Amino acid sequence: MEEDQLLEMTGSVEDIVFRNEKNGYTILELNNGQELVTVVGSLPWVSVGEVLHVMGKWTKHPTFGMQFKAEGFERFKPETTDALLKYLSSGAVKGIGPAMAAKIVDAFGENTLKVLEQEPERLTVIKGITKAKALKLSEEFRQSHGVRDAMEVLCGYGLTPEEALRVWRVIGPSCVELIRENPYSICEEEAGVSFEKADAIAAALERPQDDAWRVRAGVEYVLRHNLNNGHTCIPADKLAAAAARMLGVPLELAQEAVEELAGDGTLVRRQLGGRDFIFMPRLLQAEVYPASRILTMLRFPAHPIPGAAGLIEAVERQTGMQYAQLQKDAIREALENGLLILTGGPGTGKTTTLKAIIRILKEKGEQVLLAAPTGRAAKRMSDLTGQEAKTIHRLLQVEWDENDRQTFARNEKNLLDCDALILDELSMVDILLFEAVLRALPLGCRLIMVGDCDQLPSVGPGNVLGDLIASGKVPVVQLREIYRQSMDSLIVTSAHRIVAGQMPELANHSSDFFFLPCPDPDDLANLIVDLCRRRLPASYGYSPMTDIQVLAPGRKGELGTIELNRRLQAALNPPEKGKKEITIHGVLFREGDKVMQVKNDYHLGWTKFDGTTGEGVYNGDLGVLCEIDRKASTVTVQFEDRLVLYEMEAASELELAYAMTVHKSQGSEFAAVVMPMYPGPSQLSYRNLLYTAVTRARSLLVLAGTRQALAAMVENDRKTRRYSGLCRFLLGEGEE
């Protein structure tokens, strides 16, 4: 048996070892007539006793040895009495256990399934089976086989077993008939099958290119696709034009589809700024509710705390601080009105102002909560303020429903217990998460929002910070004055020059900022490696693992994170005898590697060195891969003082982190940042991205590459334009 050789195999299912009911992932024992073979893969509703024809390849599990990984399968009903007994005894038909199975098979032999399906009244000859029970057993049998037959049809259309299972769960028993009538019904969000696959099914069914269902689905697909680019809505004319181009149909057909979808409520039309926009209903709600809630908070503000001037003076005496006028304005706004956006670039005193607000509110007996969108941003907030900060998801107590959709335990019916909420890094918060925060906020609660409007916007849809400021409805204090101690930092002054469209002072060889010219991409990659491995540790004592972070605009190319991680791994953590390695989804991991968690996992357990245990590892958390256990099929990662054990399936949430994208660095801060400056695609070479990267450096910033690439980023004032409605809704537009 050669590993990776594509094979087909037929046999009877002897045992179901494991099954995940949600995704159908199954481990079973298959008797192929010669030996028992372990078969793994998405095999939903397969039962003991059935004959299975599987297509796939051999793989070698580090613990369990050779396994057959099924990529497709066909099922056949059991026919022999032994197989029928195994099948019915396994619980394949609800209501039939081993004892009853033996009686039924003994009575009807190889005709058992025919009796169950077509002649259930004959079952009454068996003691204990009434006519009503016989009919019930027959219905359960037909239903179970209906599910399985539908699964086979769906997989025959090219869906994976996982996709077929999801379609069945969403659409139900009529899914096959519905797909034949309208192949694009499986493109709906909950079913989650790609438009391309639905289009392939439609082509196989010889549906015309201008089929009405196809055009409608194409319009919805284009709209959903743009949500992934940060938009919450699309102008109606742009939507129709984009759909027509993608589908290869006349513009008029796409326009008609937009009208129909808006007419029947599938999509929603709103006029904003004199232009028609099209929303998905859920995204419209996500923008309308926050606008309404913010306006309510302005009408019914938190109770004012009088005597702001005196309270500020008292804090100044206690701390020895002297606040600038804008800082005092921010503190007063927070105390008197309770709704505030505090913004400003690096070195302008946002944290100092925030600490004063927190101090006064706590002295006045208010319950103050702090939150940020990511784990690293929350930790940074905690470190800077000296107060506990949580991720927004943790604060709202994230949960998942039966369809694995995200919900929050904290909502309108279960409000947060607080008098004030301080929300940091608001530029990273998308509209759906902002809506969730406002739904959980008690009426009369203060809301202080902190962010830098010049940083990159959220990954998810919406433009929360920008829209709130643009509306002019929410009080905004923008700190502009750079503190004296920050004026000496070329990192800080360079960041402000970049925002203003000016080149950093490259000739000024400060202690915290350097530009290293290097025109050749291969030489530049080698230079970055040398900076991390030798030059910066030797000159500054920085650790390549904990202090230095390479940031890159994108993932691909000679200077993208994928290639840089490969080079840095080879230099900083080379292979050694006894140092274990493992490949996960095509990426080589080695004990000692710097890694990053790339999604929030609220159920992943951890153990501290003092024995304390808990759950939750968050997107952006950095750690070191300290152990690979092939026998147990696990890896262990140390995140600061926490050890986290990953099963191999969960380890796909890890990436090498010697280099990361600028987008991934949002909300984080590093002692030293190294960034390549080399010509790349315009969508990754713009001012806000450079500014965000520069402001991630706390003590040292090294830009290396070409002046032309740096100048191009400074000059490219492309702020990612997003179509969103929050600003307009705050101004009273877009009403039905």
Side-chain angles (χ1 to χ4, degrees):
M1 296 183 298
E2 292 183 18
E3 194 172 346
D4 294 327
Q5 183 183 355
L6 294 176
L7 294 173
E8 297 186 12
M9 186 186 305
T10 302
S12 62
V13 180
E14 297 293 320
D15 186 29
I16 304 295
V17 179
F18 170 82
R19 172 169 289 143
N20 183 321
E21 296 296 341
K22 284 190 175 181
N23 60 21
Y25 180 81
T26 303
I27 303 173
L28 59 81
E29 298 293 333
L30 190 76
N31 187 342
N32 66 5
Q34 298 177 331
E35 60 181 333
L36 277 179
V37 175
T38 300
V39 179
V40 302
S42 186
L43 304 161
W45 287 300
V46 169
S47 298
V48 170
E50 291 185 317
V51 174
L52 206 61
H53 183 74
V54 289
M55 295 76 76
K57 59 186 180 182
W58 289 102
T59 61
K60 190 171 184 179
H61 191 279
T63 303
F64 304 110
M66 297 301 292
Q67 297 179 334
F68 193 86
K69 186 176 182 181
E71 298 181 357
F73 70 98
E74 290 181 76
R75 295 168 33 261
F76 303 93
K77 294 177 182 178
E79 295 179 349
T80 68
T81 54
D82 285 345
L84 286 164
L85 183 59
K86 286 181 182 178
Y87 171 71
L88 291 181
S89 298
S90 71
V93 180
K94 189 177 178 182
I96 300 180
M100 185 178 290
K103 292 177 182 178
I104 294 172
V105 174
D106 187 54
F108 302 108
E110 294 178 359
N111 292 320
T112 293
L113 298 187
K114 181 183 177 184
V115 170
L116 269 170
E117 186 174 13
Q118 301 174 17
E119 305 169 293
E121 64 277 358
R122 293 178 61 187
L123 294 171
T124 57
V125 302
I126 296 170
K127 188 177 179 180
I129 299 183
T130 64
K131 184 177 179 180
K133 187 168 184 177
L135 293 173
K136 178 69 173 173
L137 292 176
S138 180
E139 175 61 26
E140 291 287 350
F141 174 76
R142 287 197 300 271
Q143 186 175 0
S144 70
H145 267 270
V147 172
R148 298 172 189 193
D149 292 343
M151 292 289 296
E152 288 184 13
V153 173
L154 295 176
C155 290
Y157 283 144
L159 302 187
T160 66
E162 294 92 337
E163 289 171 331
L165 182 60
R166 194 163 60 246
V167 167
W168 169 268
R169 293 190 188 281
V170 171
I171 299 177
S174 62
C175 60
V176 173
E177 291 78 11
L178 185 59
I179 288 171
R180 286 169 180 161
E181 178 189 346
N182 173 18
Y184 300 95
S185 58
I186 60 178
C187 293
E188 295 177 3
E189 192 172 0
E190 289 187 352
V193 179
S194 71
F195 177 84
E196 290 79 7
K197 279 200 174 182
D199 218 22
I201 294 171
L205 295 171
E206 298 183 343
R207 292 299 182 88
Q209 193 174 27
D210 61 356
D211 181 275
W213 288 117
R214 180 173 187 262
V215 182
R216 284 172 62 99
V219 169
E220 291 187 74
Y221 170 78
V222 170
L223 186 55
R224 278 198 299 271
H225 176 76
N226 276 280
L227 301 184
N228 297 328
N229 294 331
H231 305 291
T232 62
C233 55
I234 299 292
D237 56 340
K238 282 185 171 287
L239 177 59
R245 283 195 303 272
M246 184 194 78
L247 298 168
V249 300
L251 177 61
E252 299 77 38
L253 285 181
Q255 290 170 331
E256 288 172 11
V258 172
E259 294 297 324
E260 289 173 6
L261 289 162
D264 65 21
T266 304
L267 305 178
V268 188
R269 183 192 303 273
R270 288 287 186 273
Q271 191 168 81
L272 305 172
R275 192 176 186 185
D276 281 348
F277 284 82
I278 303 297
F279 289 82
M280 303 287 290
R282 177 68 187 92
L283 266 295
L284 176 66
Q285 178 192 28
E287 294 216 285
V288 168
Y289 179 86
S292 172
R293 185 60 197 276
I294 291 290
L295 293 173
T296 300
M297 292 172 73
L298 290 167
R299 286 172 57 207
F300 304 100
H303 72 276
I305 296 176
L311 294 169
I312 293 169
E313 288 177 7
V315 173
E316 287 180 325
R317 286 195 303 272
Q318 294 162 7
T319 61
M321 294 292 301
Q322 185 66 46
Y323 298 113
Q325 186 56 52
L326 283 173
Q327 291 178 301
K328 292 179 180 179
D329 292 345
I331 299 168
R332 185 178 64 253
E333 193 71 47
L335 299 180
E336 293 180 353
N337 297 316
L339 184 62
L340 169 69
I341 293 174
L342 178 63
T343 185
T348 56
K350 293 195 300 292
T351 301
T352 304
T353 307
L354 209 54
K355 289 168 73 172
I357 293 171
I358 296 169
R359 183 178 185 127
I360 294 171
L361 292 178
K362 286 198 164 188
E363 285 177 356
K364 293 298 177 179
E366 294 204 354
Q367 175 70 18
V368 182
L369 297 179
L370 280 68
T374 68
R376 287 190 65 83
K379 184 181 184 304
R380 184 179 174 216
M381 192 183 189
S382 296
D383 293 342
L384 292 172
T385 63
Q387 308 290 325
E388 182 191 13
K390 297 180 178 179
T391 66
I392 298 172
H393 287 80
R394 177 65 76 184
L395 181 78
L396 299 179
Q397 298 172 19
V398 67
E399 298 174 339
W400 282 266
D401 63 16
E402 64 277 5
N403 295 315
D404 277 344
R405 289 176 299 198
Q406 182 178 272
T407 62
F408 296 103
R410 293 290 187 175
N411 50 41
E412 303 98 320
K413 298 178 181 178
N414 183 24
L415 299 171
L416 291 167
D417 182 17
C418 63
D419 302 297
L421 174 64
I422 298 174
L423 202 56
D424 198 16
E425 297 287 356
L426 190 64
S427 64
M428 298 176 63
V429 178
D430 66 42
I431 192 65
L432 292 163
L433 191 55
F434 189 59
E435 178 201 19
V437 169
L438 293 182
R439 288 188 180 278
L441 209 61
L443 193 61
C445 180
R446 299 177 202 279
L447 179 61
I448 293 99
M449 297 168 282
V450 187
D452 186 344
C453 54
D454 292 311
Q455 288 192 24
L456 293 171
S458 62
V459 174
N463 185 26
V464 175
L465 179 58
D467 277 359
L468 288 173
I469 294 173
S471 74
K473 291 288 187 179
V474 182
V476 177
V477 176
Q478 183 172 5
L479 303 178
R480 298 184 181 88
E481 183 182 344
I482 303 175
Y483 274 123
R484 192 184 309 106
Q485 59 266 37
S486 297
M487 289 292 293
D488 297 330
S489 167
L490 207 57
I491 295 173
V492 173
T493 57
S494 294
H496 286 272
R497 287 181 65 88
I498 289 167
V499 165
Q502 301 171 5
M503 283 283 285
E505 297 179 22
L506 304 184
N508 186 343
H509 297 290
S510 115
S511 60
D512 69 351
F513 172 70
F514 298 95
F515 177 80
L516 303 177
C518 187
D520 181 78
D522 188 63
D523 290 344
L524 179 52
N526 290 331
L527 172 60
I528 289 170
V529 170
D530 191 46
L531 284 165
C532 296
R533 178 178 58 186
R534 183 181 64 85
R535 293 171 63 170
L536 298 186
S539 299
Y540 298 91
Y542 288 141
S543 163
M545 304 299 283
T546 58
D547 298 323
I548 304 170
Q549 185 60 56
V550 176
L551 301 182
R555 293 175 57 84
K556 299 178 180 178
E558 295 175 279
L559 294 161
T561 58
I562 296 173
E563 175 62 17
L564 288 174
N565 270 317
R566 187 190 66 77
R567 291 183 181 235
L568 287 162
Q569 180 190 50
L572 301 175
N573 188 33
E576 293 177 8
K577 188 177 180 180
K579 188 182 287 185
K580 298 174 188 168
E581 300 177 351
I582 193 164
T583 299
I584 302 172
H585 293 303
V587 178
L588 175 70
F589 290 89
R590 184 176 295 132
E591 288 178 340
D593 273 336
K594 181 179 181 179
V595 295
M596 176 172 58
Q597 177 79 10
V598 294
K599 64 178 288 189
N600 292 330
D601 191 329
Y602 299 94
H603 304 299
L604 199 55
W606 49 259
T607 304
K608 288 189 176 181
F609 297 132
D610 62 3
T612 306
T613 60
E615 291 182 336
V617 185
Y618 306 110
N619 182 16
D621 283 355
L622 292 172
V624 175
L625 198 164
C626 50
E627 185 181 6
I628 296 171
D629 189 334
R630 287 187 170 275
K631 287 186 178 180
S633 200
T634 60
V635 298
T636 302
V637 178
Q638 181 179 336
F639 295 100
E640 297 183 341
D641 61 344
R642 298 170 298 152
L643 289 174
V644 178
L645 185 71
Y646 289 81
E647 302 288 342
M648 284 305 170
E649 191 174 339
S652 60
E653 299 174 359
L654 295 171
E655 286 185 359
L656 293 175
Y658 301 100
M660 70 174 70
T661 63
V662 178
H663 283 84
K664 280 291 184 185
S665 75
Q666 284 182 272
S668 302
E669 192 177 65
F670 311 98
V673 166
V674 178
M675 184 175 179
M677 292 284 107
Y678 197 77
S682 61
Q683 62 266 32
L684 292 175
S685 302
Y686 58 100
R687 189 183 299 172
N688 291 77
L689 187 136
L690 176 62
Y691 172 79
T692 301
V694 168
T695 55
R696 300 309 91 201
R698 184 171 62 250
S699 303
L700 180 68
L701 171 67
V702 181
L703 302 181
T706 70
R707 292 172 182 261
Q708 294 88 338
L710 176 59
M713 293 189 80
V714 173
E715 290 167 9
N716 186 0
D717 192 22
R718 163 191 174 268
K719 283 194 178 183
T720 309
R721 185 181 180 188
R722 294 191 166 186
Y723 293 115
S724 59
L726 179 59
C727 174
R728 297 290 181 176
F729 293 136
L730 282 165
L731 295 172
E733 296 183 33
E735 297 180 1
E736 291 185 79

